[in-house]
Amino acid sequence: MTRTYRWALWLVLLAVVVAMLSPIAWLVLTSLKSPAEMASFPPTWWPQEPRPANYTDAISKVNFLGATQNSLTIAFITTTLTTLSSAWVGFGFARLSAPGKKQLFVVLLATMMLPGIVTLVPTYLIFAKLHMVNTYWPWVAWGLGGSAFLIFLFRQFFAGIPREMEEAAIIDGCGYVGIFWRIFLPQSWPVIAASVILSFTGAWGDFVGPAMFLSQDSTTLAVAMASGYVNDKGLPLNNLVAAGAVMYVLPVLVLFLFMQPRFVSGFSTSGIK
Amino acid sequence: MSSALTEVRRTTTAAAAPPADRRKKPPGLKRARTFYLFVAPWIIGFVALTVFPLGYAFWLSLTDSDGLSPRTHFVGFDNYVEIFQDPLTLSSLGKTGLFALVTVPLSILAGLLLAVMLNQPIKGRGLLRGLIYLPAVVPPVGAALTFRLIFDRDAGAANGVLSGLGADPITWLVDPNVRYVLYALVLWGCGGSMIISLAGLQDIPRELLEAAQVDGASYWQSFTRITVPLLSPVILFQVITGVIGSLQSFAPLLLSSGSLSGAGTVPQGNYLYMIHVFAQYFSASRFGYASAMLWLLFAVILLVTLVIIKVSARTVFYTVEPEGKK
């Protein structure tokens, strides 16, 4: 690779990075602007008088702390149950056999292609009949069912562990539950980490689920964010929207940047196809 | 790994010898039963949370249910007939098809291009990858709100740039411009596609490309003759998941309104199929009709997926069988 070529590539990629980051920069800049500044045209690039009070206003305007707590509860339920259940089922597919296993595995892979939203709306009606709307029980049910993608991920990992480990344990009288719990699960922390990250960010970002299954005052941050910041006339208070959005998005971004080297390379080596 | 093993040995031998009657049952049957014990959570979940809701939606689609009143009438296939006579349903279906047709190739190509560039040995590659992937991590609501702020008529950055260039401001968030905002929003998240393509690129044996180079192939030739064919399963995967995702997309709802019942506020240009479904469910309480719409979407997605798999069968190149032994 020639020097000029390398430099050109670098410049192109730098431009892409700037383009990718500029919306986030704009979000942060907007979150510090005063209402008067928001109303003037053309827009100012840099906040003339930074207004940190937008952040305290954003917290008090909607039930921010309550919604955060709801988000965290749902994310915790989803993450714990989905990870455990997916690992459990993945172990079954990786290390045990029975008639019908192959067909079941094909069905499992096919469900990865199933449109989630199509089942979500009728599921809402079913849970409404069971009086479970406006409770966290739907998330418990979804969590216990596991996620097809994570089951697949765990299955791939468990399938790669040498058979001797399991045989030695069987000779010692350890059952499969014990093998799963004491030998396989403790070894699978890279997959557990991926599963925790994916299910946590998934639950944190989910909009339709909480919007449908929870009432306005017991809902998550995602829903409160999307609908809460309006004035008496129903017009959006954009500087508060921005401040709220920063507080909603930034934890996820910081978490990602923190784990970014592991996460990106982990993705590249997981054999996703 | 040996420490875990010895620990188990110690605890089990210390506890008791394995009961003798455990081996009386045929080992195959016991193994099978254990297998089903392990996969039971998924099977139960699949039946209760996927098969049953789909069946329930189908039953509902044959009624005039509004979800509340106990008096629900069986109307046969009337709802399905109505779908094909309702101009709003048909136009929203068409818009959704167009949306998929534009955004899926756009984001796969952008992702592939970035992946190829980021697969080169350059300084700070890891950080560049991370930063370009970053927007894909932003939760949908956060992304939509951010784009609402950028394309705001008065305080938005997009019009700020335009006025800096001496051009007139554009009202982005209404028709017909709003669909470009939606495309931009999708493109912003193309890092997801980049990561998957990158994973595929790294699986391509380096020797193949080096051999081609020795034989005098140009970069373009080895790209089209080696890289793309070897990447085709990854691209197919992205096409399928991308199409499925965009056919059920409700992103425009987040771009214009913060509630599921606010589907009426979505501009015409972004009035996708799912938006119309939400409007029927939560604003009009037409549960029967909306269920029919969902079942139609399910059928369309199934059909499209099958067609894509069928059509691609001859062009996709697998080095290993997808379900082959490792």
Side-chain angles (χ1 to χ4, degrees):
Chain A
M1 208 164 28
T2 62
R3 260 181 89 103
T4 34
Y5 174 69
R6 201 177 298 218
W7 270 102
L9 190 61
W10 232 96
L11 284 177
V12 171
L13 287 172
L14 204 64
V16 176
V17 168
V18 170
M20 288 301 206
L21 293 187
S22 55
I24 296 170
W26 185 253
L27 183 70
V28 175
L29 290 177
T30 310
S31 76
L32 290 168
K33 288 179 181 170
S34 66
E37 217 175 333
M38 294 298 292
S40 71
F41 185 85
T44 45
W45 296 103
W46 205 255
Q48 314 254 268
E49 284 168 43
R51 189 171 180 274
N54 283 343
Y55 283 84
T56 46
D57 288 356
I59 289 173
S60 53
K61 174 81 185 163
V62 300
N63 180 15
F64 195 91
L65 299 177
T68 306
Q69 206 181 344
N70 297 339
S71 284
L72 287 174
T73 309
I74 282 183
F76 179 75
I77 293 175
T78 308
T79 307
T80 321
L81 293 182
T82 312
T83 301
L84 275 178
S85 174
S86 302
W88 176 265
V89 177
F91 179 83
F93 275 117
R95 311 303 298 206
L96 290 154
S97 55
K101 171 178 159 172
K102 239 190 151 137
Q103 290 84 335
L104 278 178
F105 195 65
V106 171
V107 173
L108 177 86
L109 292 180
T111 54
M112 273 200 258
M113 294 183 186
L114 210 77
I117 276 200
V118 174
T119 51
L120 199 59
V121 180
T123 306
Y124 166 77
L125 290 179
I126 293 164
F127 278 118
K129 290 229 159 102
L130 298 171
H131 300 287
M132 283 189 196
V133 161
N134 220 5
T135 71
Y136 294 142
W137 285 111
W139 280 270
V140 173
W142 286 320
L144 285 177
S147 125
F149 177 68
L150 295 177
I151 291 172
F152 180 68
L153 225 55
F154 273 107
R155 184 250 181 202
Q156 296 300 86
F157 183 83
F158 287 148
I161 295 179
R163 188 155 279 276
E164 291 81 49
M165 299 210 82
E166 159 183 353
E167 279 163 358
I170 291 174
I171 290 168
D172 289 342
C174 189
Y176 275 99
V177 175
I179 294 175
F180 165 74
W181 192 249
R182 295 199 234 172
I183 305 176
F184 278 64
L185 197 61
Q187 288 189 53
S188 64
W189 63 266
V191 195
I192 294 179
S195 166
V196 165
I197 294 169
L198 290 176
S199 30
F200 192 91
T201 49
W204 186 260
D206 186 22
F207 173 78
V208 184
M212 241 183 209
F213 286 74
L214 296 173
S215 71
Q216 193 61 42
D217 50 304
S218 66
T219 198
T220 61
L221 202 49
V223 180
M225 282 299 319
S227 57
Y229 296 116
V230 285
N231 63 15
D232 319 330
K233 289 172 194 149
L235 294 169
L237 298 158
N238 278 336
N239 51 344
L240 297 195
V241 169
V246 168
M247 289 187 282
Y248 168 63
V249 168
L250 225 50
V252 183
L253 296 189
V254 170
L255 190 74
F256 167 74
L257 280 180
F258 209 52
M259 297 189 292
Q260 178 268 119
R262 283 205 65 86
F263 191 69
V264 176
S265 70
F267 234 107
S268 305
T269 51
S270 66
I272 198 162
K273 51 173 182 171
Chain B
M1 77 185 207
S2 61
S3 68
L5 194 60
T6 45
E7 195 189 325
V8 172
R9 266 203 191 128
R10 221 179 299 126
T11 50
T12 46
T13 45
D21 64 300
R22 215 183 241 192
R23 308 206 174 261
K24 272 183 188 165
K25 284 175 205 148
L29 188 73
K30 188 165 158 25
R31 247 179 117 77
R33 209 191 288 169
T34 319
F35 169 76
Y36 280 103
L37 170 76
F38 272 95
V39 297
W42 170 70
I43 295 180
I44 296 170
F46 175 62
V47 172
L49 300 168
T50 302
V51 178
F52 185 63
L54 273 179
Y56 186 63
F58 184 66
W59 179 80
L60 274 176
S61 76
L62 303 176
T63 69
D64 65 351
S65 166
D66 61 1
L68 294 170
S69 68
R71 264 193 288 171
T72 297
H73 305 99
F74 184 81
V75 297
F77 284 92
D78 283 5
N79 287 323
Y80 290 90
V81 174
E82 190 183 337
I83 285 177
F84 290 99
Q85 292 165 346
D86 182 351
L88 214 49
T89 307
L90 290 181
S91 75
S92 67
L93 192 59
K95 274 169 197 150
T96 308
L98 180 73
F99 173 68
L101 224 53
V102 172
T103 55
V104 173
L106 197 66
S107 81
I108 293 178
L109 280 177
L112 181 61
L113 191 67
L114 288 172
V116 169
M117 290 197 275
L118 285 165
N119 202 31
Q120 308 284 336
I122 45 169
K123 242 182 225 162
R125 191 165 71 165
L127 185 66
L128 288 175
R129 283 178 188 169
L131 290 176
I132 290 175
Y133 181 63
L134 193 71
V137 196
V138 175
V141 169
L145 290 177
T146 306
F147 272 63
R148 232 152 84 177
L149 295 172
I150 292 171
F151 289 99
D152 188 84
R153 197 198 159 278
D154 294 327
N159 281 342
V161 172
L162 283 181
S163 77
L165 295 171
D168 287 333
I170 293 174
T171 44
W172 289 103
L173 292 171
V174 297
D175 290 317
N177 304 315
V178 66
R179 71 168 59 141
Y180 303 113
V181 179
L182 188 58
Y183 297 158
L185 180 64
V186 173
L187 202 58
W188 194 47
C190 76
S193 156
M194 174 199 79
I195 286 291
I196 295 173
S197 291
L198 199 55
L201 283 177
Q202 287 175 348
D203 273 357
I204 295 178
R206 188 157 297 194
E207 304 85 60
L208 270 179
L209 296 168
E210 279 164 5
Q213 209 172 16
V214 170
D215 287 346
S218 69
Y219 184 80
W220 180 248
Q221 276 173 328
S222 58
F223 180 75
T224 50
R225 306 269 172 85
I226 297 171
T227 308
V228 171
L230 285 178
L231 217 55
S232 56
V234 179
I235 294 173
L236 175 69
F237 170 80
Q238 292 185 53
V239 169
I240 292 174
T241 52
V243 167
I244 293 173
S246 50
L247 288 186
Q248 52 179 332
S249 175
F250 60 91
L253 196 65
L254 294 173
L255 214 49
S256 12
S257 156
S259 77
L260 294 178
S261 49
T265 61
V266 173
Q268 274 301 310
N270 274 355
Y271 199 80
L272 301 185
Y273 194 75
M274 270 321 291
I275 312 287
H276 195 46
V277 171
F278 284 134
Q280 294 299 318
Y281 258 108
F282 297 104
S283 313
S285 276
R286 297 193 61 201
F287 283 56
Y289 185 59
S291 299
M293 287 189 66
L294 277 184
W295 245 89
L296 181 72
L297 181 66
F298 177 54
V300 167
I301 289 175
L302 211 62
L303 194 74
V304 170
T305 313
L306 288 178
V307 168
I308 293 174
I309 291 174
K310 201 92 188 156
V311 168
S312 65
R314 257 176 288 160
T315 46
V316 171
F317 182 86
Y318 287 102
T319 39
V320 270
E321 283 301 301
E323 228 332 82
K325 289 189 176 68
K326 276 207 160 180

